[in-house]
Amino acid sequence: MNSIIKTKNVKSDGENAAVPKHIAIIMDGNGRWATKRFLPRFAGHAKGVKTVNKVVEACVNRGIEYLTLFAFSSENWRRPQEEVSLLMQLFRKVLVGEIRKMGENNIRLKVIGDLSKFDQDLQELVRVAESETAANTGLTLTICANYGGHWDIVNACNKLIAKGIGQGEITEDMLSAHLSMAYAPEPDMLIRTGGEARISNFLLWQLAYSEFYFTDTFWPDFDVQALDDAITSFQKRERRFGKTSEQVQVQ
Ligand code: FPP
């Protein structure tokens, strides 16, 4: 089973690919993982960071070009203040601690979302981490922080209006080009851990043709084998992009 998956540096064109070019993940279940073990919720987030590291490394080894992680949604501010502030501390720690490793692994870091709501020092850390990894040519790792799909689309519309684009002139390509992840192809696969089957205001525009993979596994328990299982499921699917099965098979 893994012989196909472990083909390194396979480039895909998004159809019948050996590995998906772009994987997006909703990392859910940290709190429940911790509660099940009579631990504070934060312990689940801390263990979740370890999973992030393992999954990033596995994606690099499998030649996946883009990995996008939903770390903090626009709605997560509604959580108890203590949890929000601990999540921010964790984000800081990841940015400071992982930059060197990103360099060693040729990873380019991008952070998308409305960062204006974050403390100045955190915004600065993001800016430094992005600029220090900007020239790396391997995996593009995108962290979505204070991100919401509605925000992204409205933001793109406002950018177009600011450019003087008038009523009736906006095209799909123009809107796509003004979304915050315009530098990446749309995700081939969305993985959501933690047993829920919903998008939760993630990449609403960009997930239009993505293959969805839902697993009950809590994010802290998601491991390399679980990632390979998701990729195997992706490889078995026929992506038709609106065409018939016969048309796709003739190509
Ligand atoms: C969802 O689990 C997870 C989050 C809201 C935060 C995800 C954050 C991390 C994995 C750590 C930080 C990562 C980076 C890349 C900086 P939940 O708390 O909603 O879990 P529950 O549904 O079980 O309560």
Side-chain angles (χ1 to χ4, degrees):
M1 177 174 82
N2 289 346
S3 59
I4 311 172
I5 294 166
K6 287 188 176 148
T7 309
K8 200 178 166 181
N9 292 330
V10 177
K11 299 277 177 187
S12 78
D13 60 4
E15 285 182 64
N16 303 321
V19 290
K21 189 181 216 169
H22 185 172
I23 297 179
I25 308 184
I26 300 178
M27 309 176 288
D28 198 10
N30 292 350
R32 280 167 287 159
W33 180 91
T35 306
K36 229 175 100 182
R37 287 164 178 75
F38 306 102
L39 294 168
R41 291 177 55 81
F42 179 67
H45 296 313
K47 182 77 166 44
V49 172
K50 294 203 167 95
T51 302
V52 168
N53 290 336
K54 279 189 229 153
V55 167
V56 168
E57 189 188 338
C59 285
V60 169
N61 290 336
R62 281 151 186 73
I64 286 152
E65 294 174 51
Y66 297 87
L67 174 67
T68 300
L69 302 175
F70 204 8
F72 192 86
S73 76
S74 324
E75 291 74 32
N76 285 151
W77 295 108
R78 298 175 191 155
R79 293 189 173 208
Q81 173 56 35
E82 194 197 3
E83 183 170 342
V84 170
S85 120
L86 286 168
L87 277 168
M88 293 300 145
Q89 277 179 35
L90 207 52
F91 193 23
R92 271 189 192 86
K93 210 170 136 194
V94 168
L95 287 172
V96 174
E98 301 297 323
I99 293 181
R100 191 181 48 80
K101 279 195 233 155
M102 285 182 205
E104 284 165 11
N105 288 304
N106 198 20
I107 295 169
R108 173 171 72 141
L109 178 74
K110 304 283 274 180
V111 180
I112 60 166
D114 182 4
L115 300 183
S116 68
K117 301 284 183 295
F118 290 124
D119 291 347
Q120 285 297 329
D121 72 300
L122 190 48
Q123 291 183 41
E124 178 60 13
L125 275 176
V126 167
R127 205 191 54 72
V128 170
E130 284 189 329
S131 68
E132 284 191 9
T133 61
N136 293 342
T137 55
L139 176 77
T140 296
L141 170 64
T142 301
I143 306 230
C144 303
N146 194 21
Y147 178 87
H150 289 166
W151 166 84
D152 204 1
I153 294 167
V154 168
N155 204 32
C157 293
N158 281 325
K159 284 187 201 163
L160 289 166
I161 292 165
K163 285 185 176 173
I165 309 297
Q167 188 185 358
E169 290 173 3
I170 296 179
T171 64
E172 291 185 13
D173 283 348
M174 281 159 72
L175 201 125
S176 291
H178 289 80
L179 293 169
S180 52
M181 212 169 42
Y183 53 84
E186 291 174 353
D188 298 300
M189 174 167 65
L190 168 76
I191 298 173
R192 181 173 184 146
T193 61
E196 314 287 2
R198 53 181 174 248
I199 306 186
S200 299
N201 198 18
F202 195 26
L203 304 160
L204 297 181
W205 178 279
Q206 300 91 331
L207 292 173
Y209 280 101
S210 308
E211 298 295 330
F212 286 12
Y213 182 86
F214 298 110
T215 170
D216 289 339
T217 306
F218 294 142
W219 178 248
D221 286 330
F222 192 82
D223 57 12
V224 173
Q225 183 57 54
L227 177 72
D228 284 344
D229 289 346
I231 295 173
T232 301
S233 165
F234 171 84
Q235 289 170 326
K236 288 182 184 151
R237 300 186 194 189
E238 180 184 69
R239 303 189 75 196
R240 294 195 288 277
F241 298 96
K243 295 180 183 172
T244 65
S245 184
E246 290 72 21
Q247 283 175 304
V248 171
Q249 280 164 29
V250 167
Q251 280 178 348

